[in-house]
Amino acid sequence: MKDGQIRMLILTLLLVLLLLFPLTPKGEQLISDCFPSVNYGENELILEPTPEPRPEETPSPTPVPLLLSDYYTELTAELPASYTLVSICTESDSFSDALLLQIRQWGFPMALELYADGTGFLRIFDQTEDLIFHPDSMLLSFQGKTLPFFYLDGRLRVQDGSRYLIFEKQT
């Protein structure tokens, strides 16, 4: 065989292997970790849209504070707490909530602790970093970096460009 034919045969085999990989158990696991879906693994696709909620099921909107300072006061009082890391997303990877839950069950700490005096610490695996948070400007400072954070309904999201960590408040 000539070199060109051997290369073409190798490329064809690689293409076939890449096309068949999603059908293997490892491929199915990789796809489910990277692209979670309610339809994955089902026998048929769910094609109907979700039903519209009936008026009695629609929750009433929460009242919005009239003054912006009221929100800061609530946030300053609500932020200090213990949080658990529930989601990570980077430019190249996204870690599923199930994977993070499994890691926490193995005993690896992934926690954020915020105190009322504006200090706290971040503990992921064997690293602990002291930090300072500013609820009025919604900034979190550690390792010489200052990052914005967002808080809503017990979830705190720390953003660094397109990367982020989401922590859930412990009850």
Side-chain angles (χ1 to χ4, degrees):
M1 287 183 134
K2 295 181 182 178
D3 279 343
Q5 290 175 330
I6 293 173
R7 285 185 185 151
M8 189 56 111
L9 180 62
I10 290 173
L11 286 174
T12 304
L13 287 174
L14 283 174
L15 180 62
V16 169
L17 288 175
L18 283 174
L19 291 174
L20 293 176
F21 179 72
L23 302 176
T24 65
K26 290 266 188 204
E28 287 180 2
Q29 182 64 38
L30 179 69
I31 288 172
S32 69
D33 287 345
C34 293
F35 305 104
S37 169
V38 294
N39 289 330
Y40 187 75
E42 298 287 331
N43 292 334
E44 58 186 55
L45 294 176
I46 301 171
L47 299 175
E48 294 88 29
T50 58
E52 291 293 322
R54 287 183 251 139
E56 65 271 3
E57 293 176 355
T58 306
S60 61
T62 57
V64 178
L66 298 175
L67 300 173
L68 197 53
S69 61
D70 290 344
Y71 177 73
Y72 289 136
T73 305
E74 288 177 21
L75 189 59
T76 303
E78 193 170 331
L79 272 178
S82 297
Y83 296 84
T84 302
L85 182 64
V86 294
S87 188
I88 299 174
C89 185
T90 65
E91 289 96 6
S92 59
D93 291 320
S94 180
F95 299 90
S96 71
D97 297 351
L99 176 63
L100 292 174
L101 176 65
Q102 186 177 24
I103 292 171
R104 283 193 311 270
Q105 288 174 343
W106 289 339
F108 293 105
M110 294 185 293
L112 174 69
E113 186 76 32
L114 300 178
Y115 302 114
D117 65 356
T119 63
F121 66 86
L122 174 65
R123 180 178 296 141
I124 296 181
F125 298 122
D126 62 344
Q127 293 184 341
T128 301
E129 295 290 334
D130 292 327
L131 58 88
I132 299 171
F133 71 97
H134 309 278
D136 54 344
S137 58
M138 298 189 72
L139 294 174
L140 189 111
S141 302
F142 69 100
Q143 292 182 338
K145 293 176 91 175
T146 300
L147 303 171
F149 70 86
F150 308 94
Y151 181 84
L152 181 64
D153 297 332
R155 288 190 148 220
L156 187 125
R157 177 180 173 140
V158 180
Q159 190 85 29
D160 184 10
S162 61
R163 300 176 295 185
Y164 62 85
L165 304 171
I166 297 178
F167 296 90
E168 192 169 86
K169 192 174 190 176
Q170 295 300 302
T171 54

